[in-house]
Amino acid sequence: MKTILISLVSEQTVPNILAIHHFKPDELLFISTRDMEAKGKTSAILDTMSRLGLKYQRDMIMVQEDSILDCHRQLEEWIKGREDSEFVVNLTGGTKIMSIAAYEFFKDYSSRMIYVPIPRNEFIVPFPKKSPGRPTEFDLRLSVVQYLAAYGLKVVNEGKLETYCQEARKRKGLSELIVQNYAQLKNLLLWLCGMLRPHRSEKMFELTGNFTAENQEEKDFFSRFGFSYSGGIITRKLDRSDIRYLTGGWLEEYCFNIISEWLGCGIDDVAIGLQLRNSRGRENEFDVMFTKDNALYFAECKSLDQDEDEDASQALYKIGALQREFGLRVKSFFVTTSPYILKDGKVREAIQARSEQFQTWLVSPTEIGQLKEIIAQKLNIHQGEIS
């Protein structure tokens, strides 16, 4: 007897993906609507399942989302020849009418009804109502790219992500050096940024300039990064990765490495330097993204000083725009070295209000050194936790 899983399609695709991966049915049936298919929801689910190594043919009925009669008529036609199958019905998605229609139809086939209480990573069997089954936990934890695929977002530079991760790990000690000695290195970083920003798109650039090192930390930085420094002349051939690092990428890599320390202890996956494209063809970049318990988070990083405190507000508005335009209902961290967000040592009230508006945790210049502890506290991660 073959098993067929019935999935009701809606904006939330992850509950369907978790159920399909758990039951690994012989066949799938998607009950969807024109609106959901216009948004590519079923395609996104199938694409994600393919990434997980489970390939299924598209078998779908399109229903009127507010008509139980239409749902039943189409299911009656579909089920012909399949009456002896074992049915598992995921009641989580769709509209309430679609969920009622699916339950009413399949209850006469001794079907197993399940429900995934978002955002918990488990399903319940609500019937029979007098003795419902205990919750069953899903073992699947989606990676960043898998989560994005589940919502129909394409990672344009997917093939480069592992390289970015390796580069960040290789420069971990250098990024820590910058954060730990930021006050002593700030003038040097500003100078390098000014020299290199016009060359961020170039594959290679030969840097030559005059800079007088004023402290040992600057000299140590020259040595660690491989600069030639003699008589106030600094030289080095830089590739695109070096240039991006020296013009602010160091803070992104620092955040990436800090978050990576929680891999396997709460955090499931982390990626850096993602370029995304949504279904409308709109593209944007994300500094750092990570997943925890099948939820997505990202960190927006702003290094050096912003010219005005309103630039921090603009960065927060960008976070809100990304959440809206890319359909990512996620929480984020805004990590900045800008002193302009502070007043008398505290985050300005207007900036704090905007960060709360966009569900963003703000990490101020004085807190960056405690980023690991902040992430653990905000996301309720404990040392030794097994994800």
Side-chain angles (χ1 to χ4, degrees):
M1 180 184 299
K2 64 183 177 182
T3 300
I4 302 177
L5 176 61
I6 315 300
S7 297
L8 308 182
V9 181
S10 63
E11 294 283 356
Q12 298 296 322
T13 55
V14 170
N16 281 329
I17 291 167
L18 294 175
I20 295 168
H21 182 269
H22 178 84
F23 288 99
K24 296 179 175 61
D26 301 301
E27 293 182 17
L28 292 175
L29 172 67
F30 293 100
I31 303 178
S32 189
T33 63
R34 294 188 183 280
D35 183 42
M36 289 300 104
E37 293 315 296
K39 296 180 179 180
K41 294 299 180 179
T42 300
S43 295
I45 293 171
L46 290 172
D47 179 42
T48 307
M49 298 317 304
S50 180
R51 289 174 176 274
L52 291 166
L54 298 173
K55 296 184 180 296
Y56 290 96
Q57 297 296 319
R58 181 190 299 267
D59 192 2
M60 179 176 61
I61 61 173
M62 299 270 284
V63 302
Q64 297 176 26
E65 61 188 47
D66 57 354
S67 173
I68 292 178
L69 180 60
D70 180 66
C71 291
H72 282 192
R73 283 175 174 172
Q74 296 204 50
L75 285 169
E76 288 285 4
E77 185 65 27
W78 171 85
I79 205 168
K80 292 177 181 178
R82 300 182 175 93
E83 293 89 343
D84 294 333
S85 302
E86 180 181 3
F87 300 106
V88 179
V89 185
N90 186 352
L91 299 171
T92 312
T95 63
K96 290 182 173 63
I97 293 295
M98 290 165 62
S99 182
I100 292 170
Y103 168 74
E104 288 289 341
F105 183 87
F106 283 101
K107 71 178 182 179
D108 294 330
Y109 290 89
S110 300
S111 304
R112 185 178 187 184
M113 307 288 177
I114 69 165
Y115 180 78
V116 182
I118 301 172
R120 302 209 304 266
N121 294 295
E122 62 187 25
F123 70 88
I124 59 175
V125 179
F127 307 106
K129 60 185 179 182
K130 288 187 177 180
S131 56
R134 294 175 61 85
T136 300
E137 185 173 354
F138 294 117
D139 59 5
L140 175 64
R141 294 295 182 269
L142 295 171
S143 70
V144 170
V145 174
Q146 290 166 353
Y147 186 99
L148 294 169
Y151 285 92
L153 298 174
K154 179 177 178 58
V155 182
V156 179
N157 60 344
E158 182 177 352
K160 299 179 180 179
L161 296 185
E162 182 55 35
T163 298
Y164 296 162
C165 292
Q166 291 175 2
E167 291 172 345
R169 294 186 185 106
K170 188 181 300 183
R171 291 189 286 239
K172 179 181 179 181
L174 188 62
S175 300
E176 291 175 348
L177 174 72
I178 294 174
V179 171
Q180 292 167 2
N181 300 278
Y182 180 71
Q184 293 77 21
L185 294 173
K186 180 177 174 180
N187 288 336
L188 171 58
L189 294 169
L190 284 168
W191 180 82
L192 286 169
C193 191
M195 292 284 288
L196 296 173
R197 186 167 291 281
H199 306 283
R200 278 174 64 88
S201 61
E202 298 179 20
K203 290 184 178 180
M204 298 294 296
F205 177 69
E206 184 79 40
L207 173 66
T208 301
N210 295 301
F211 184 87
T212 301
E214 297 181 348
N215 54 57
Q216 187 60 45
E217 287 79 8
E218 291 175 339
K219 294 177 181 178
D220 290 343
F221 183 84
F222 288 145
S223 176
R224 290 280 295 272
F225 206 83
F227 283 107
S228 294
Y229 180 67
S230 178
I233 304 296
I234 179 174
T235 60
R236 189 183 188 278
K237 182 178 287 186
L238 303 168
D239 60 23
R240 183 177 294 166
S241 176
D242 296 326
I243 295 170
R244 292 184 67 86
Y245 182 82
L246 293 171
T247 53
W250 58 267
L251 184 57
E252 298 168 25
E253 293 192 8
Y254 176 79
C255 291
F256 167 84
N257 283 309
I258 287 294
I259 295 168
S260 295
E261 292 184 27
W262 289 116
L263 283 170
C265 298
I267 302 299
D268 299 309
D269 186 42
V270 57
I272 184 172
L274 299 97
Q275 185 177 356
L276 304 190
R277 180 187 300 141
N278 66 12
S279 59
R280 299 185 300 278
R282 190 175 183 86
E283 294 188 8
N284 216 319
E285 294 184 359
F286 289 77
D287 294 340
V288 181
M289 280 189 162
F290 59 101
T291 50
K292 178 184 185 295
D293 294 332
N294 294 317
L296 184 72
Y297 302 83
F298 74 91
E300 176 76 4
C301 305
K302 291 295 180 184
S303 62
L304 304 177
D305 293 359
Q306 307 298 315
D307 293 333
E308 301 287 347
D309 61 347
E310 64 188 44
D311 286 347
S313 299
Q314 291 171 1
L316 289 168
Y317 280 127
K318 176 189 174 185
I319 289 173
L322 291 175
Q323 292 174 342
R324 292 192 304 272
E325 293 174 10
F326 284 79
L328 298 173
R329 298 180 182 276
V330 300
K331 292 185 177 180
S332 59
F333 291 84
F334 176 43
V335 184
T336 178
T337 59
S338 172
Y340 295 108
I341 70 167
L342 301 176
K343 183 178 181 180
D344 299 328
K346 296 182 179 180
V347 176
R348 293 174 180 268
E349 291 184 6
I351 299 297
Q352 186 64 47
R354 290 188 183 95
S355 67
E356 293 173 359
Q357 175 186 353
F358 298 124
Q359 293 188 307
T360 299
W361 291 298
L362 196 152
V363 182
S364 69
T366 59
E367 298 174 312
I368 292 177
Q370 291 78 48
L371 181 59
K372 182 178 180 180
E373 291 75 17
I374 291 172
I375 290 173
Q377 187 265 326
K378 298 299 184 183
L379 303 185
N380 195 29
I381 299 174
H382 305 285
Q383 191 71 45
E385 176 182 338
I386 302 300
S387 61

